[in-house]
Amino acid sequence: MYLVNDERLSKMKNILLTRQNDLRIFMDNVYSSHNLSAIVRSSDAVNVGKLYFRHQEQVRLNDNITMGAHKWIFSEYVQEVEELYKKLDDYQIVVTVLGDDSLDFRDVDYTKPTLIVLGNEVEGVSKDTLKHSTHKVKIPMYGMSESLNVSVAGAVLLYEAQRQRISKGMYNKTTLSSEKIQKTLK
């Protein structure tokens, strides 16, 4: 028995049935509560499989920004970055980096198992992460600014991943086990 009405239960099931389990986000020392919360909300909007985060200080989510999205995203705090990359060794690691050797973010195939890594607001991704990166990407900028805010950049990458996955019909396939779906609905 569920404690929600049938319409709400149907929406919850649909979210889990379309969850992109092999599209994940890692916030590598993102320290702003606003940015962290906005990335959580964008991750939920695209229905990513899991969100990983680590930060040096205590950072709290802002409920006014997440609008409840944090309740629906599977998340995990990362203590040891090396362990995360071992666990996801079959994933491509896409990092945002301003550099001459960085690709246009649209030149990556996000239909493969993908971990998108967003670095902190000042220093970017950590050196630990850079050595594991499969693709370094940047978002082309034509104005005076060199980069977007980390939460905006994350949303841009996520929506490109979503676009590619929709065009391949990936949101029409269930990637979570029926056990995981049932456990989450309880």
Side-chain angles (χ1 to χ4, degrees), residues 116-161:
I116 296 172
V117 183
L118 304 169
N120 83 25
E121 295 83 346
V122 176
E123 298 168 1
V125 296
S126 67
K127 289 180 182 166
D128 295 335
T129 289
L130 274 178
K131 71 182 180 186
H132 290 282
S133 67
T134 310
H135 302 291
K136 296 174 189 167
V137 298
K138 62 183 173 185
I139 299 168
M141 306 290 289
Y142 295 98
M144 291 296 288
S145 299
E146 289 185 337
S147 65
L148 296 171
N149 170 283
V150 65
S151 65
V152 175
V156 168
L157 270 64
L158 283 170
Y159 274 90
E160 175 60 16

Side-chain angles (χ1 to χ4, degrees), residues 21-169:
N21 194 41
D22 65 354
L23 176 62
R24 298 178 178 202
I25 293 284
F26 174 38
M27 293 181 286
D28 189 7
N29 288 317
V30 173
Y31 60 79
S32 160
S33 173
H34 177 89
N35 287 333
L36 189 74
S37 301
I39 294 166
V40 168
R41 188 167 172 182
S42 295
S43 296
D44 174 65
V46 173
N47 210 357
V48 301
K50 195 166 195 176
L51 189 141
Y52 302 93
F53 59 96
R54 76 169 176 159
H55 38 76
Q56 305 301 328
E57 302 172 12
Q58 180 72 12
V59 180
R60 298 180 57 83
L61 291 175
N62 182 324
D63 292 344
N64 291 326
I65 296 170
T66 66
M67 299 297 289
H70 61 284
K71 297 174 185 173
W72 288 101
I73 252 333
F74 300 142
S75 63
E76 180 179 327
Y77 182 78
V78 173
Q79 294 254 351
E80 296 294 327
V81 173
E82 293 297 328
E83 291 300 315
L84 173 66
Y85 292 123
K86 281 182 193 171
K87 184 169 39 174
L88 300 175
D89 70 339
D90 56 339
Y91 279 62
Q92 64 182 351
I93 310 298
V94 178
V95 301
T96 54
V97 177
L98 294 177
D100 294 336
D101 61 340
S102 294
L103 302 168
D104 184 304
F105 75 102
R106 294 166 286 211
D107 292 339
V108 172
D109 180 359
Y110 296 97
T111 63
K112 295 177 182 178
T114 302
L115 176 68
I116 296 172
V117 183
L118 304 169
N120 83 25
E121 295 83 346
V122 176
E123 298 168 1
V125 296
S126 67
K127 289 180 182 166
D128 295 335
T129 289
L130 274 178
K131 71 182 180 186
H132 290 282
S133 67
T134 310
H135 302 291
K136 296 174 189 167
V137 298
K138 62 183 173 185
I139 299 168
M141 306 290 289
Y142 295 98
M144 291 296 288
S145 299
E146 289 185 337
S147 65
L148 296 171
N149 170 283
V150 65
S151 65
V152 175
V156 168
L157 270 64
L158 283 170
Y159 274 90
E160 175 60 16
Q162 180 194 53
R163 184 193 67 76
Q164 290 181 19
R165 286 168 171 259
I166 286 172
S167 73
K168 287 217 173 169

